[in-house]
Amino acid sequence: MTETTAANGRPRIVIVGGGFGGFFSALRLERRRDEGPAPHVTLISDANALLYTPFLPQAAGGTLEPRHVTTPLRGPLRSTEILVGRAVAHDAARRTVEFASASDERRTLHYDHLVLSPGSSSRMLPVPGLAEAAVGFKTLAEAIHLRNTALQMLELANTTSDPDERAAQLTFVFVGGGYAGVEALAELEDLLREARRLYPSLRDQPFRWVLVEATESLLPEVGTRLSAYVMRQLHDRGIELRLGTRVREVSDGVVTLDTGERLPARTVVLTAGVRAHPTVAAMGLPVDDAGRVRVDDTLAVDGLPGVWALGDAAAVPDPARPGLTCPPTSQHVTKQARLVADNVLASIAGRPSEPFRYRTRGLFVDLGRYKAVASVAGLQFSGLPAWFMARSYHLSQIPGFTRKARVATDWTVGILFDRDLSELGSLGHPEPLDPQGGQHGRD
Ligand SMILES: Cc1cc2nc3c(=O)[nH]c(=O)nc-3n(C[C@H](O)[C@H](O)[C@H](O)COP(=O)(O)OP(=O)(O)OC[C@H]3O[C@@H](n4cnc5c(N)ncnc54)[C@H](O)[C@@H]3O)c2cc1C
């Protein structure tokens, strides 16, 4: 194992997580000029690209190419040292973080300031059989897997002779009606509605889309009027809403609800919110009841000078809602990232830290089919204007001019032409070579 210490008296800053929090704090540290030697910044990330999660539903629905919903870390970040792998341990007394690469090359990194933004993972519900049967919707791998599964179900339904099996193949159950669940369902329903036109045998088959939500409404954060609009839109598209309902069990390909209703379904998607990433527990940090790192309003971790946390993994006091913590949104995290960089630099220069100040500017929920809802600066929009605002907002937010151009091109192509329905489930998983296989024309 190698040990790395501060270089040439430069303060050493280690950032964990290459998502919104980690990427934007590194970018801010690169762009801010302060007196004194420039800090040496190391970013530990388990991927070499930032995933722009608001575009995951569109990657699943095929309106955006999977690669275009990511931004490579190298390029926008020029002077930051990027180590792709995982932060696996933390020693607060020695002020070190242990890094492990994918090939288990280990390195101990000394830090003066540690910034933690490992994000979140899908919240698992205590429902028997759910973990085995469901796919989450948090990563690009999950989004593309879901797209491929949905297209595979069409192919299977096209050839199966058993009507009950076909009905289960054409039933899609989403568990959790937050914005990620609603957007993912809306995009996939769009995809399959368009695709079924090309399957003569399936044209008259009923497709079932069921959204199961434990509370009595969808998306309360967008307000009563827009929430009602969303529910009406989904209902008009034939999507079955099961509000105030929980999943009791998933077994033998059947989802059983607490009302006793049984839904035979081959595709179950878990979109029931998030919980702090397991990295938080591995780092030995003070946590709240929800497992998030406890921080004050300057993003400093309680009782650990020089350690900071932000994003979905941290319980950041919400300045807009006293007594509550910030919701897990990229909007909040991006602002926290700027603040944490400024506070780290202030701390190095011996200046006081600033508190987090932010009020949500707007909320957008894309419903596909040129429809969305938007709540911006107290005003509410729905339908085509909201859809246009949502797309414009996200285009402005995805980092990098190249990515903006690629996304805009995908959207334009999507408006002019039919969706691409290729199912690429085997991508990245080639069949192993046959050791006995000779070359044609020899022996
Ligand atoms: C489908 C979906 C749609 C969304 N849509 C919106 C939206 O429209 N608007 C909005 O504001 N928000 C949206 N969000 C929420 C937003 O994505 C999160 O709030 C944001 O990503 C949190 O940023 P973060 O830096 O805390 O975590 P992330 O962006 O998740 O980044 C954390 C990164 O750190 C990595 N990591 C974890 N542990 C380690 C380790 N030990 N070592 C190295 N790397 C590690 C993780 O794998 C991850 O890549 C959406 C989320 C999802 C899932």
Side-chain angles (χ1 to χ4, degrees), residues 73-299:
L73 300 176
R74 294 175 205 278
L77 297 177
R78 295 185 181 277
S79 58
T80 303
E81 178 189 30
I82 297 166
L83 299 180
V84 173
R86 303 187 65 78
V88 288
H90 170 227
D91 186 331
R94 291 180 59 223
R95 297 176 84 73
T96 58
V97 169
E98 192 174 329
F99 162 82
S101 74
S103 62
D104 209 29
E105 183 80 19
R106 300 271 170 152
R107 215 188 263 192
T108 300
L109 304 173
H110 290 263
Y111 67 81
D112 298 302
H113 288 270
L114 174 63
V115 177
L116 293 157
S117 191
S120 51
S121 42
S122 294
R123 185 164 70 96
M124 185 39 72
L125 303 175
V127 172
L130 186 63
E132 296 75 19
V135 60
F137 198 76
K138 184 76 188 55
T139 64
L140 190 53
E142 288 168 337
I144 302 310
H145 173 76
L146 187 54
R147 170 188 165 75
N148 289 327
T149 304
L151 292 171
Q152 267 168 19
M153 288 303 145
L154 288 193
E155 299 300 349
L156 288 172
N158 186 45
T159 50
T160 193
S161 52
D162 176 346
D164 291 338
E165 180 56 26
R166 189 184 309 118
Q169 286 159 350
L170 298 178
T171 300
F172 302 85
V173 178
F174 282 67
V175 183
Y179 52 84
V182 168
E183 289 191 338
L185 191 158
E187 280 289 342
L188 278 161
E189 194 270 338
D190 260 4
L191 169 71
L192 292 205
R193 185 178 33 82
E194 227 178 284
R196 73 187 292 182
R197 289 186 289 114
L198 303 174
Y199 294 79
S201 69
L202 300 183
R203 274 190 202 140
D204 301 324
Q205 294 295 325
F207 281 50
R208 281 189 84 185
W209 297 87
V210 186
L211 179 57
V212 184
E213 164 57 39
T215 64
E216 292 294 341
S217 69
L218 295 181
L219 307 168
E221 53 276 52
V222 295
T224 323
R225 193 175 70 79
L226 292 186
S227 168
Y229 175 89
V230 170
M231 290 194 277
R232 216 171 36 249
Q233 281 295 323
L234 297 180
H235 179 263
D236 290 351
R237 285 162 69 163
I239 293 162
E240 302 172 39
L241 302 181
R242 298 287 184 270
L243 302 180
T245 306
R246 292 168 194 272
V247 176
R248 188 195 293 158
E249 175 189 31
V250 186
S251 70
D252 298 329
V254 178
V255 181
T256 306
L257 307 183
D258 62 0
T259 53
E261 185 180 8
R262 287 163 52 81
L263 302 164
R266 297 290 163 268
T267 312
V268 183
V269 188
L270 179 64
T271 49
V274 293
R275 63 183 170 85
H277 195 280
T279 291
V280 169
M283 295 277 133
L285 300 161
V287 292
D288 71 354
D289 292 344
R292 294 169 305 172
V293 186
R294 278 207 314 264
V295 294
D296 66 18
D297 61 357
T298 69
L299 308 178

Side-chain angles (χ1 to χ4, degrees), residues 16-22 44-47 50-51 53-54 56-57 85-88 117-120 137-138 179-180 183 274 277 279 283 310-313 328-333 364 394:
V16 174
F20 283 87
I44 300 177
S45 175
D46 57 6
L50 161 77
L51 175 62
T53 46
L56 270 188
R86 303 187 65 78
V88 288
S117 191
S120 51
F137 198 76
K138 184 76 188 55
Y179 52 84
E183 289 191 338
V274 293
H277 195 280
T279 291
M283 295 277 133
L310 68 157
D312 288 5
T329 78
S330 56
Q331 278 183 44
H332 285 82
V333 184
F364 304 94
H394 286 303

